[in-house]
Amino acid sequence: MAYQVLARKWRPHNFPEMVGQTHVLRALINALSNNRLHHAYLFTGTRGVGKTTVARILAKSLNCEKEITAYPCGQCAACREIDEGRFVDLIEVDAASRTKVEDTRDLLDNVQYAPTRGRYKIYLIDEVHMLSNHSFNALLKTLEEPPPHVKFLLATTDPQKLPPTILSRCLQFNLKRIPLEQIIQHLTKIAEEEGISYESQALRLLAQAADGSLRDALSLLDQAIAYGAGNLSNDDVSRMLGTLDQNVVLELIKILAAKDAPGVLQQIALISEQNPDFVTILGDILSLLQQIAIAQIVSTTIDTHQQNSEAILQLAQQLSPEDVQLFYQIALLGRRDLPLAPEPRGGFEMLMLRMLAFRPNNEQQPSPTQVIPTASSPAMTAYASPPSVNVPFKPATSPALTNTNNAQNEWGNIVHSLGLPGTIKQLALNCELKKHEGDTWHLTLSPEKKFLLTEDRTQKIEELLQKQLGGPQNVRIRVEHPESETPAIEQQRIAETRQQYIVKAVDKDPFILYLKEKCGALINNVTVLE
Ligand SMILES: [Zn+2]
């Protein structure tokens, strides 16, 4: 007997046999059971998720010789002929190949005639969005006054392209992509029933490559069976799909977990020998990180028969949830940005090193020159939004920077405690405290800052001083050059000194030196995260 492709052989013949789409099936089963039938149904969703399969089963439900039922018998002539694609009252049109108005007209010309054999004449129009405007008009006319013996089952991957006049006349069902685990289960069931020997990991790779489409999964399974001469091994399937052995990717994550930057580069060199597609590798990394994140929450969800399950559980313990999230975020954005890199390997190396550079330090005693974000979230924000790369850095020791002038110190502290609004606070901070006598504060403001000075603002400072200290408070501000450092100047000096100190420390940092020398990294900006 000739080999029958799996997608055809395993095409579901009734609703219970379908994989996924339970939300759609439940609605259809209820409608059929209660005989609440609409004259036009629209099934939307990406390719290979079951749109035309649902439509064909619905056609059987409507035309099964026994009765209108959610569970067609599969035995009667109508059921069998629909299964075999030769039922005279099921008119299937692939609009992608029939866009001329004449075709649709021909088709719809016969609408008014009663069905030849069945209860209903059913038009199944696939990729209905491909119809021309004229065809849409012809279809619309029929939909506006549908003869009672006609049902329209429309399917499309792109409902956006349908005119609203058509959409509004259809009962719409959105089919979802099939979840990975359901595809794996289905492939496993088929492999077992077909008596094909398989490695679980091979089926997982096929399911991942199918990306939510069951039809693609079955067609890949067909190809893999041919490729491996009836045997589904991890190696063969990896080779066929052009994906890397998962162990190689897992090894890379282990090295990242060990914070071994030179090791990361070595592993990438090893991977490069296989001429891989780095975007696909990022997909593999994302998938593994997701499994690790889930294992951190519920370790029992990891299928222990799955290859790598032990390593995944181990990494789940070794990495913090923040690390996993950060790696995931960087890999996800990397998948988008990698095509922009001058060459893929270099771009991939930078991505992996970025994971280390931005990794929050979870250890107790950071060394003074180590690059450490003070918390994971600012580091992630810095990574996710920068036009330039900010290296978050927090010095463990900073030089003594505080103002030695007690009067100005006192004034600075008072100003900060008053909770003054914006410009009023600026005015106060730019003043030098000359003398505090009884209830009067004698302040001086440099001529360059005179623009800050207004009667209202001075009054506001007085009010808040009264509130804070009690009793009457008077503020006298004279415009003249201050003799000592005002709180504003002190703040600026501290910020500048700290920045210089940090820039020097970053320049000397061994890891930064490594990134500059080995990867050509440039430090654009050093930000101090408070
Ligand atoms: Zn039947």
Side-chain angles (χ1 to χ4, degrees):
M1 199 181 107
Y3 182 76
Q4 194 181 8
V5 295
L6 293 171
R8 179 173 280 268
K9 186 171 175 186
W10 284 84
R11 178 179 290 160
H13 295 99
N14 50 52
F15 293 134
E17 277 177 16
M18 285 205 63
V19 177
Q21 317 303 0
T22 43
H23 62 295
V24 171
L25 304 185
R26 189 177 307 153
L28 287 175
I29 289 171
N30 282 339
L32 286 161
S33 306
N34 299 318
N35 211 4
R36 278 185 289 102
L37 300 174
H38 208 263
H39 63 270
Y41 294 82
L42 174 65
F43 301 102
T44 63
T46 56
R47 64 209 186 85
V49 292
K51 298 183 295 294
T52 53
T53 304
V54 171
R56 286 198 195 99
I57 297 173
L58 182 55
K60 269 194 287 188
S61 294
L62 294 167
N63 271 326
C64 176
E65 286 170 8
K66 298 206 165 152
E67 57 182 340
I68 294 178
T69 169
Y71 306 97
C73 74
Q75 307 297 321
C76 70
C79 281
R80 276 189 287 114
E81 285 173 22
I82 290 173
D83 278 341
E84 291 159 15
R86 52 184 186 87
F87 187 64
V88 67
D89 289 317
L90 173 60
I91 299 118
E92 288 200 32
V93 184
D94 179 2
S97 62
R98 259 178 99 119
T99 53
K100 282 197 236 100
V101 65
E102 295 76 27
D103 291 337
T104 321
R105 257 192 212 139
D106 286 351
L107 227 127
L108 298 173
D109 268 352
N110 297 320
V111 159
Q112 71 272 25
Y113 300 118
T116 316
R117 294 262 324 274
R119 203 174 284 119
Y120 293 103
K121 183 181 265 188
I122 295 173
Y123 289 87
L124 198 176
I125 307 179
D126 196 11
E127 296 300 3
V128 64
H129 67 275
M130 302 283 280
L131 291 177
S132 67
N133 279 341
H134 290 295
S135 304
F136 274 130
N137 289 337
L139 177 63
L140 186 59
K141 251 177 105 184
T142 322
L143 285 177
E144 277 169 345
E145 286 173 56
H149 57 265
V150 168
K151 300 282 178 207
F152 283 95
L153 310 181
L154 312 177
T156 180
T157 47
D158 203 350
Q160 245 85 314
K161 289 196 181 140
L162 286 178
T165 44
I166 301 266
L167 280 174
S168 66
R169 286 177 171 80
C170 296
L171 196 57
Q172 189 172 334
F173 292 96
N174 184 24
L175 279 73
K176 295 174 183 164
R177 290 146 65 95
I178 320 275
L180 178 68
E181 294 304 324
Q182 278 188 16
I183 297 184
I184 294 173
Q185 270 175 27
H186 194 59
L187 294 182
T188 309
K189 180 179 159 189
I190 292 177
E192 280 179 1
E193 296 206 11
E194 296 281 329
I196 293 157
S197 64
Y198 65 91
E199 287 177 6
S200 307
Q201 189 60 22
L203 296 185
R204 176 171 285 272
L205 286 178
L206 290 172
Q208 276 168 352
D211 197 22
S213 160
L214 198 63
R215 185 172 59 214
D216 285 2
L218 294 189
S219 131
L220 286 169
L221 183 61
D222 268 326
Q223 286 179 42
I225 291 168
Y227 189 92
N231 177 35
L232 295 169
S233 76
N234 187 19
D235 283 352
D236 281 348
V237 170
S238 298
R239 218 166 295 137
M240 182 191 95
L241 294 173
T243 50
L244 280 175
D245 180 354
Q246 293 301 291
N247 287 326
V248 184
V249 179
L250 197 66
E251 195 58 33
L252 187 61
I253 298 180
K254 281 187 194 163
I255 298 168
L256 284 169
K259 302 178 193 172
D260 175 6
V264 166
L265 295 182
Q266 275 170 21
Q267 182 69 5
I268 295 173
L270 200 78
I271 290 173
S272 294
E273 288 170 12
Q274 300 183 41
N275 257 340
D277 171 11
F278 283 104
V279 176
T280 308
I281 298 179
L282 281 175
D284 294 343
I285 289 175
L286 285 168
S287 160
L288 276 169
L289 288 171
Q290 185 239 349
Q291 291 178 60
I292 292 168
I294 287 177
Q296 284 176 332
I297 299 164
V298 261
S299 57
T300 46
T301 54
I302 294 292
D303 177 5
T304 46
H305 298 295
Q306 182 196 324
Q307 200 194 8
N308 301 334
S309 59
E310 225 170 89
I312 287 170
L313 287 170
Q314 203 183 335
L315 281 165
Q317 292 195 339
Q318 196 179 346
L319 287 163
S320 72
E322 290 82 10
D323 284 338
V324 178
Q325 288 298 328
L326 180 70
F327 289 180
Y328 191 90
Q329 173 79 353
I330 291 177
L332 196 65
L333 292 174
R335 217 148 82 120
R336 184 194 65 189
D337 294 341
L338 197 59
L340 302 176
E343 46 96 27
R345 176 176 167 178
F348 186 78
E349 283 177 345
M350 283 305 284
L351 268 179
M352 294 301 113
L353 293 176
R354 194 170 302 163
M355 289 180 181
L356 290 182
F358 282 94
R359 190 171 167 193
N361 192 308
N362 306 316
E363 275 140 41
Q364 303 282 316
Q365 289 285 319
S367 71
T369 51
Q370 196 170 5
V371 180
I372 46 165
T374 50
S376 61
S377 48
M380 284 181 61
T381 321
Y383 170 66
S385 58
S388 63
V389 171
N390 295 313
V391 175
F393 191 85
K394 184 189 181 189
T397 56
S398 3
L401 296 166
T402 39
N403 198 326
T404 46
N405 183 325
N406 283 336
Q408 301 322 314
N409 244 353
E410 185 201 348
W411 176 239
N413 289 339
I414 290 172
V415 171
H416 284 295
S417 72
L418 290 179
L420 294 164
T423 39
I424 304 176
K425 188 175 185 181
Q426 283 311 307
L427 169 62
L429 288 174
N430 276 287
C431 286
E432 172 199 28
L433 178 62
K434 204 80 180 174
K435 212 164 34 169
H436 181 206
E437 222 175 27
D439 53 16
T440 306
W441 301 77
H442 297 277
L443 306 172
T444 52
L445 178 70
S446 89
E448 297 96 80
K449 299 288 178 186
K450 196 185 159 193
F451 67 93
L452 288 167
L453 184 60
T454 66
E455 194 59 36
D456 287 358
R457 289 175 188 161
T458 313
Q459 259 180 26
K460 189 78 189 164
I461 297 173
E462 278 179 351
E463 274 171 33
L464 285 164
L465 278 171
Q466 282 167 17
K467 229 177 169 182
Q468 180 92 349
L469 306 170
Q473 302 288 338
N474 301 302
V475 172
R476 303 271 173 273
I477 302 179
R478 288 179 53 163
V479 176
E480 65 178 40
H481 282 290
E483 284 169 5
S484 55
E485 209 174 41
T486 64
I489 292 175
E490 186 203 21
Q491 266 183 358
Q492 198 185 343
R493 179 177 57 82
I494 291 174
E496 280 169 8
T497 314
R498 216 169 143 195
Q499 182 73 11
Q500 284 165 7
Y501 169 80
I502 289 161
V503 168
K504 270 190 207 151
V506 167
D507 271 344
K508 281 189 283 184
D509 181 79
F511 182 64
I512 296 288
L513 286 174
Y514 174 82
L515 283 178
K516 280 170 145 178
E517 280 170 20
K518 299 287 179 190
C519 317
L522 292 171
I523 305 292
N524 288 337
N525 192 4
V526 177
T527 308
V528 181
L529 299 174
E530 296 295 348

